[in-house]
Amino acid sequence: MIQIEEIPAEDIADFWAIHYEYLIRDGIITDDEDKAYFCSNGYRSVIHHHMLREENRHHMVYFLRNGLRVGAAQYCTYKDEGGKCFLMDFWVFPRYRDIGIGHECFKSLQEYTQKDGAVFYEINCTKDNAVRFWKSLGFRENGVDEYGDPLFVADIV
């Protein structure tokens, strides 16, 4: 069973370190401009501010299995957009991949976010393995985002 550990806004420094490593390692960001942006105080302060707001609060979480962190995610449930839970990031740490933990993590995240009003989920992704993963969970294509990246959507399953 996967537990969710909510990361408080005042404790996000460790998250930023593993987040940046994930973005580089998984090839999500590759150019110097993106690398600088995701390390910038501007980007990180906006996220921090969104973690403190009352409505449409931004969440950072770790996924725990047997007390060990096996992955992480960032999301925001937009109650003013019909309960859309936008997954900004969702990843399983490399040593826990390809053994079904990702599916377990998402199931736990669904249960967790439903309690906060999530009705459906949306994510953007371009990497083939990520697309296969999301489609295996019932996500379907839903246009593109403002950067031209494909969006995928799924109702609560």
Side-chain angles (χ1 to χ4, degrees):
M1 169 125 182
I2 301 294
Q3 290 83 38
I4 305 290
E5 176 187 359
E6 188 91 29
I7 305 167
E10 60 273 6
D11 292 337
I12 59 176
D14 289 341
F15 178 89
W16 286 131
I18 63 168
H19 178 256
Y20 185 73
E21 179 183 311
Y22 147 72
L23 293 173
I24 299 294
R25 182 191 56 247
D26 285 15
I28 295 170
I29 58 173
T30 56
D31 64 52
D32 290 340
E33 184 178 335
D34 283 344
K35 291 175 183 176
Y37 172 73
F38 282 99
C39 284
S40 73
N41 287 334
Y43 168 74
R44 291 177 178 188
S45 67
V46 167
I47 298 295
H48 184 262
H49 172 73
H50 288 181
M51 291 177 78
L52 300 175
R53 64 188 178 188
E54 290 294 319
E55 191 172 321
N56 299 331
R57 188 166 71 84
H58 186 92
H59 298 264
M60 292 179 177
V61 298
Y62 290 118
F63 300 115
L64 304 173
R65 186 176 196 210
N66 300 323
L68 298 174
R69 290 179 179 162
V70 298
Q74 292 188 74
Y75 70 90
C76 182
T77 301
Y78 295 94
K79 295 173 186 153
D80 57 346
E81 292 185 35
K84 174 176 76 176
C85 182
F86 186 79
L87 303 170
M88 192 174 197
D89 285 302
F90 177 101
W91 78 99
V92 173
F93 300 157
R95 69 175 160 217
Y96 300 107
R97 292 181 180 173
D98 300 321
I99 56 174
I101 289 180
H103 285 84
E104 291 179 46
C105 290
F106 185 69
K107 182 178 178 181
S108 291
L109 187 64
Q110 274 191 306
E111 292 169 4
Y112 187 78
T113 57
Q114 284 176 28
K115 295 173 189 171
D116 191 38
V119 174
F120 68 100
Y121 300 85
E122 189 171 59
I123 191 166
N124 58 5
C125 64
T126 57
K127 296 182 67 66
D128 291 342
N129 59 343
V131 170
R132 280 191 305 277
F133 172 77
W134 293 110
K135 285 185 173 182
S136 76
L137 288 166
F139 279 70
R140 61 194 180 282
E141 292 182 38
N142 190 41
V144 296
D145 67 12
E146 66 270 23
Y147 304 106
D149 291 333
L151 287 167
F152 294 84
V153 66
D155 298 319
I156 291 178
V157 293

